[in-house]
Every structure is written in C-alpha cells, then in structure tokens.
Amino acid sequence: MKALLIVDVQNDFLPGGALAVADGDQIVPVINALQEHFNLILATQDWHPADHGSFAANHPGKRVGEFIDLNGVEQILWPVHCVQGSEGAEFHADLNKDNWAAVFQKGTQQNVDSYSGFFDNNRQGDTGLSAFLKGKDVDEIYVCGLATDYCVKFTVLDGLTEGFTTYLIADATKAVNLQEDDYDRALSEMAGNGAHIISSKSIIM
Ligand code: VGL
Ligand code: ZN
C-alpha cells in the first residue's frame, strides 16, 4: 500500500506569508494532480502555540536566524508563523483537501520544535503518523510539500528510519534556501539515506 504525504502547504509558507518559501504556490497544482493517483492521502500541519520556543519574538534580544538552545536541542529562530487557529496556519485555499484521510499536526509543544511529520526534534513527541501508516499496511510513502530543506527533509529521513520505502517528489517541493544550495544539499542528504528522488512526471502521465 502506498500513501501520499503532503507536508505543510500552509499560508505562512506561501508567498505573502510570515515565512514565505519563494514560488511555494507553484507546487499547489502539481500536488492536486498527484492526489488523483493515490488512494491514501495524508497531510501535516505546522501548528504552534503563540508562545512557541522557535519564534524569535519569544526570546527578547534574539533575532530571526540566530540559534539558541531549546531544552538541549539547537534551535534556529523563525518569525512567528503557523500559530494555531490563525489564517497563516490554514492550508492554501486551492489545495484539494477532499480526499485526505487525516491531518497530523506538529510543533504543538511550546518547548520543542518539530520539523518532521513523525516526531519532535528531540524525538520524544510522536504525532502518530507512523502508527497510522502501519495500521493501513502502508509500505511506500511519497512525500511532497514545504519546505524541501526543513519539514520535507526531516519527514523523509524519519520515514526511512521508520522502515518505509520513501520517495521524494522533488518538483512538488520548494526550499527555504537560507543558503542558496540548501535545496541541493537536502536532496543529496535524502538520497544518501536511501530516499528515491523522483519527478511528478513519473506519477502523472
Ligand atoms: C517549517 C520552519 C519552521 C517547514 C516549519 O514546514 O518547513 N520550516 N517551521
Ligand atoms: Zn514551524
């Protein structure tokens, strides 16, 4: 059984959002086309409390892009984004949500960030995604969404660790690119850990 995993296609990660990924909206039609080819579709949603420890605004004197120690885990500081219940946390209006089996929310604990759709960055918290997939006899996951170099990458790496054959649909992702080659580096790291890097064209024919 295969599943499509749509990572964090939320307003704050799209042009005009608080943590906008350049051209992030361009993947929406690609993801909608991909959805036609899957019987099991799941989404993740970055879903932070307003006092979340990853927000620079919650650390007086610190700026976006600086690193801090957040409960023993190195944490880069982000602008306020994807606050629970806010418009920025909503999925892109044009993203087809009609056939989603479930949404897994992450980053909900104040004191730890969660890039992966599976586990918090300290690997203590578990969103339930892995158990859900195993309960549906899923052995192959196809990952798309935002952002290639953060939540998509860590979701792919955890998917591999959890034993799933994992495909990264590269053209159905976009990167933050804090460094200009972060997209390429993320792809290399995923491939080096056993992910299959594919194009949406190999699915949409
Ligand atoms: C993400 C930074 C902070 C992502 C989430 O979805 O890639 N990036 N929170
Ligand atoms: Zn976040």
Side-chain angles (χ1 to χ4, degrees), residues 13 46 48 54 81 113:
F13 298 126
D46 213 35
H48 299 307
S54 77
H81 67 278
D113 208 359

Short mmCIF file of all heavy atoms in Angstrom, two decimals, residues 13 46 48 54 81 113, ligand 2:
data_model
loop_
_atom_site.label_atom_id
_atom_site.label_comp_id
_atom_site.label_asym_id
_atom_site.label_seq_id
_atom_site.Cartn_x
_atom_site.Cartn_y
_atom_site.Cartn_z
N PHE A 13 3.78 29.64 4.72
CA PHE A 13 4.94 29.18 3.95
C PHE A 13 4.80 29.53 2.47
O PHE A 13 5.64 29.15 1.65
CB PHE A 13 5.13 27.67 4.10
CG PHE A 13 5.42 27.24 5.52
CD1 PHE A 13 4.66 26.26 6.13
CD2 PHE A 13 6.47 27.81 6.22
CE1 PHE A 13 4.93 25.87 7.44
CE2 PHE A 13 6.74 27.43 7.54
CZ PHE A 13 5.97 26.45 8.14
N ASP A 46 1.96 22.45 10.36
CA ASP A 46 2.75 23.11 11.40
C ASP A 46 1.73 23.88 12.25
O ASP A 46 0.93 24.66 11.72
CB ASP A 46 3.74 24.07 10.71
CG ASP A 46 5.06 24.21 11.45
OD1 ASP A 46 5.54 23.22 12.05
OD2 ASP A 46 5.62 25.33 11.42
N HIS A 48 1.66 25.78 15.82
CA HIS A 48 2.38 26.22 17.01
C HIS A 48 1.50 27.04 17.96
O HIS A 48 0.71 27.88 17.51
CB HIS A 48 3.55 27.12 16.62
CG HIS A 48 4.59 26.47 15.75
ND1 HIS A 48 5.20 25.29 16.08
CD2 HIS A 48 5.14 26.86 14.57
CE1 HIS A 48 6.08 24.98 15.14
NE2 HIS A 48 6.06 25.90 14.21
N SER A 54 10.32 28.39 19.10
CA SER A 54 11.04 28.60 17.83
C SER A 54 10.86 30.01 17.29
O SER A 54 11.47 30.36 16.29
CB SER A 54 10.57 27.60 16.76
OG SER A 54 9.31 27.97 16.22
N HIS A 81 5.02 32.14 13.04
CA HIS A 81 4.35 31.50 11.89
C HIS A 81 3.47 30.36 12.35
O HIS A 81 3.72 29.76 13.40
CB HIS A 81 5.40 30.98 10.89
CG HIS A 81 6.22 29.84 11.43
ND1 HIS A 81 7.31 30.04 12.25
CD2 HIS A 81 6.07 28.49 11.32
CE1 HIS A 81 7.81 28.87 12.60
NE2 HIS A 81 7.09 27.91 12.07
N ASP A 113 10.62 22.12 18.86
CA ASP A 113 10.12 22.29 17.50
C ASP A 113 9.95 20.90 16.88
O ASP A 113 10.44 19.90 17.40
CB ASP A 113 11.09 23.14 16.68
CG ASP A 113 10.39 23.90 15.56
OD1 ASP A 113 9.16 23.77 15.42
OD2 ASP A 113 11.08 24.65 14.83
ZN ZN B 2 7.27 25.89 12.41
#
